[in-house]
Every structure is written in structure tokens, then in C-alpha cells.
Amino acid sequence: MNTAYDAFCAIIQDTRNSDVVYDYLDNIVKPPYDYSDLLRWQWAQSVSALDKLIHDLIRIGMVQTYQGLRTPTAKYRSFTIDMDCLAQMNQMPLLAVTIFEAQIVHKLTFQSYQEPIKISDGLSLIWDETNKWKRISVSMGLDENYLKIKLKNISIRRNQIVHEGDYSSNLLQRQTIDENDVAKVLNFILDLGEAIYNLVCLKPAL
């Protein structure tokens, strides 16, 4: 799981690096066109980084469970695989882990882990904690409701950026976006990803 977390941190850092371009345009060039999409990209990219982290943690955790390295959760036990996948695993036992991992990726490809409920549900495949957000909020030193609302609002704005061009309902005025607000979002997502990683990664194995 360390590689998944390292990749997450790298994506966040790469996203931050675009600040150099924004600051150059904002403080030196000052072009006559709107370049605030650089900030919108950072906002959307931070949520994508969290989404990828959760996907990776689930995939790795499920493989570890299959290998007997983690305690199976109730949701893991109800995870279904295709009969073709099962047949391949039986026919090629040396490749069973790889085949199972590919099935996980296939089954979860269209899942989006950006909002509290979806993240909690996904993590249930590898983490049997009944109140995950309580544990996460305590780890971050934040109120649980505040944490979940903040993440949900960040996700909503991300969807407005990605799916609606960040335009208001009248389609004539884009919502404003501030460099400081984007920096806070990046910090929040980084802290959240770290908290989830620590709680899931340190889950006692069998």
C-alpha cells in the first residue's frame, strides 16, 4: 500500500507545481484572457488523486486478503467474480493472484470514490470498521460532520467544474475561484488521504 500512497502524494505535488505557471501569468504576464482554469484543474485533479488512492488501496487490500494477509471483511466475502475468472484461476493457479487483481479492477472501474458514502462503502471491502468517518475524523482532529460536509462540497464543486464548465445556472457567468481556496483544498485532500492510508494500511493482518 506504500506505493499507492506514494503515487497519491506525487499527484498532489505535481498538481501544486502548476502554481508556478499560474503565478507567472498572474504576476508577470497578466494576459487579457481568463487563465483561472489552471486553478479549476488543480481542484478537479486533487479529487481525482483521492479517487485513485481509494481505488488502489481497495485493490491492494483485496489482493492481500485473498493471499491470507488480511482479515476478510463481510463485504469482501460477498464480492462476486465471473465464472470465466474463476475458471482461469483454477486452470492457472500460479497466475491466480494476477487474475483476481484484474477482476477487481474490472468490477470496480466504474465506481467513483469521491464522496463520503461512496468512500466508506468501498473501504468496507478491506476495512470492517463500522464508523469509518468517525475514526478518520478523530485521526485528523476534525468534527465528523464538518469533515464529511467539506469533502462533499469539494466533490460537488469538482463535478461543476468537470461536467458544467463551472458555469452558474444561467450559463452566462462562471463561478469565481481563488488561489488560496484551491491551496486549502489540496492540503485538505492530502491530509485526508494520509489519514485513510494510515488507518487502512495499519489494519492488523491475520
Side-chain angles (χ1 to χ4, degrees):
M1 289 189 174
N2 294 342
T3 55
Y5 178 67
D6 289 344
F8 167 72
C9 292
I11 293 172
I12 294 295
Q13 185 56 54
D14 287 344
T15 303
R16 288 189 197 278
N17 290 342
S18 65
D19 279 340
V20 175
V21 178
Y22 181 84
D23 289 341
Y24 177 74
L25 293 173
D26 198 47
N27 297 315
I28 298 177
V29 178
K30 298 185 182 300
Y33 50 80
D34 182 12
Y35 47 89
S36 61
D37 276 339
L38 284 169
L39 300 179
R40 293 184 177 87
W41 174 80
Q42 286 187 316
W43 191 297
Q45 184 76 346
S46 68
V47 179
S48 296
L50 178 64
D51 192 351
K52 173 176 168 52
L53 174 66
I54 303 302
H55 270 278
D56 288 344
L57 293 178
I58 292 171
R59 172 180 53 80
I60 295 169
M62 290 184 70
V63 168
Q64 291 176 341
T65 304
Y66 176 76
Q67 295 173 314
L69 302 176
R70 295 177 69 91
T71 304
T73 67
K75 191 172 180 66
Y76 173 88
R77 293 189 185 96
S78 67
F79 185 79
T80 59
I81 62 175
D82 300 336
M83 292 302 294
D84 284 343
C85 174
L86 180 61
Q88 291 176 35
M89 292 170 69
N90 290 332
Q91 293 166 7
M92 298 177 284
L94 294 180
L95 296 176
V97 172
T98 301
I99 295 169
F100 179 63
E101 185 173 14
Q103 178 76 172
I104 295 169
V105 173
H106 173 71
K107 298 277 286 189
L108 301 181
T109 292
F110 298 106
Q111 294 294 328
S112 177
Y113 299 119
Q114 301 178 5
E115 296 188 2
I117 293 178
K118 292 289 189 180
I119 291 174
S120 178
D121 183 62
L123 290 177
S124 292
L125 287 162
I126 60 172
W127 189 23
D128 244 347
E129 172 64 42
T130 55
N131 195 338
K132 297 177 180 61
W133 285 105
K134 181 66 175 178
R135 289 286 304 279
I136 296 169
S137 64
V138 169
S139 175
M140 296 179 68
L142 297 173
D143 175 77
E144 180 182 352
N145 288 331
Y146 168 82
L147 174 60
K148 291 191 290 187
I149 291 172
K150 185 174 180 66
L151 176 58
K152 188 170 182 62
N153 287 338
I154 289 173
S155 177
I156 289 173
R157 182 69 187 273
R158 176 263 176 196
N159 291 336
Q160 291 171 341
I161 291 171
V162 173
H163 300 297
E164 302 170 10
D166 210 23
Y167 280 89
S168 59
S169 58
N170 62 19
L171 300 180
L172 296 176
Q173 183 65 45
R174 299 187 89 183
Q175 298 186 79
T176 59
I177 190 164
D178 180 80
E179 187 176 11
N180 291 329
D181 289 339
V182 173
K184 291 177 182 177
V185 168
L186 283 166
N187 289 335
F188 173 80
I189 293 296
L190 182 62
D191 291 344
L192 176 58
E194 180 181 10
I196 293 173
Y197 161 74
N198 285 332
L199 288 167
V200 172
C201 184
L202 298 179
K203 182 80 170 64
L206 280 172

